[in-house]
Amino acid sequence: MTTNTYSPGLHKLVTLEVQKTEKLFYSEGFISFSEDLISKYNLEKVGISQHDFDNNSFTIAICLKESHICIHTWPEFKQLTLDVYLCNYLQDNTEKVKAITNAYINYFEAIILKDFEINR
């Protein structure tokens, strides 16, 4: 009996605390930064779904050919949740997922409150 050792990808889920909350209100800045990351890491965007709430917080799902990047902001709590998942049957994107997540942590100048890694 053989077992399949293939893992489709790494799924990172983080909750971050942000002291400078301006970026938690600025969905267009997040999208612009994400577009740069998508280009830098040679990912393929399928589409973006975005909603800005009355308090200017936002939720965004970026659908990628390789899977997705999602964010939800809570400026009133100085927090956000971020979900980065890249899967690919031809290559291991583990390091890309970690690098992209770290780029967002740096973008928000955030402190990590929760950090989960799921090997799918």
Side-chain angles (χ1 to χ4, degrees):
M1 180 174 162
T2 61
T3 56
N4 185 353
T5 59
Y6 172 73
S7 174
L10 179 65
H11 194 166
K12 289 272 295 175
L13 304 157
V14 294
T15 302
L16 305 176
E17 182 178 79
V18 178
Q19 293 306 308
K20 298 177 185 176
T21 59
E22 299 84 17
K23 290 180 182 172
L24 297 179
F25 295 106
Y26 187 40
S27 61
E28 293 304 321
F30 177 83
I31 290 172
S32 178
F33 185 76
S34 297
E35 296 276 2
D36 290 344
L37 287 176
I38 289 166
S39 176
K40 178 179 179 178
Y41 289 99
N42 299 312
L43 303 173
E44 188 173 330
K45 181 178 69 175
V46 175
I48 295 179
S49 184
Q50 168 187 358
H51 181 78
D52 293 300
F53 294 95
D54 290 339
N55 69 349
N56 294 320
S57 62
F58 60 89
T59 186
I60 297 173
I62 303 172
C63 296
L64 303 170
K65 181 178 168 186
E66 300 82 3
S67 200
H68 65 271
I69 299 169
C70 298
I71 186 172
H72 311 281
T73 67
W74 287 276
E76 64 273 26
F77 300 111
K78 297 182 179 181
Q79 291 185 13
L80 66 96
T81 59
L82 180 69
D83 177 345
V84 180
Y85 179 43
L86 300 178
C87 57
N88 190 311
Y89 288 100
L90 303 175
Q91 68 185 23
D92 181 358
N93 284 326
T94 298
E95 294 309 313
K96 281 186 185 182
V97 170
K98 290 178 181 181
I100 290 168
T101 303
N102 285 333
Y104 283 120
I105 293 166
N106 291 332
Y107 171 77
F108 285 104
E109 300 175 55
I111 297 167
I112 300 168
L113 298 178
K114 296 179 183 175
D115 185 354
F116 299 99
E117 290 188 354
I118 303 167
N119 288 302
R120 308 288 306 256

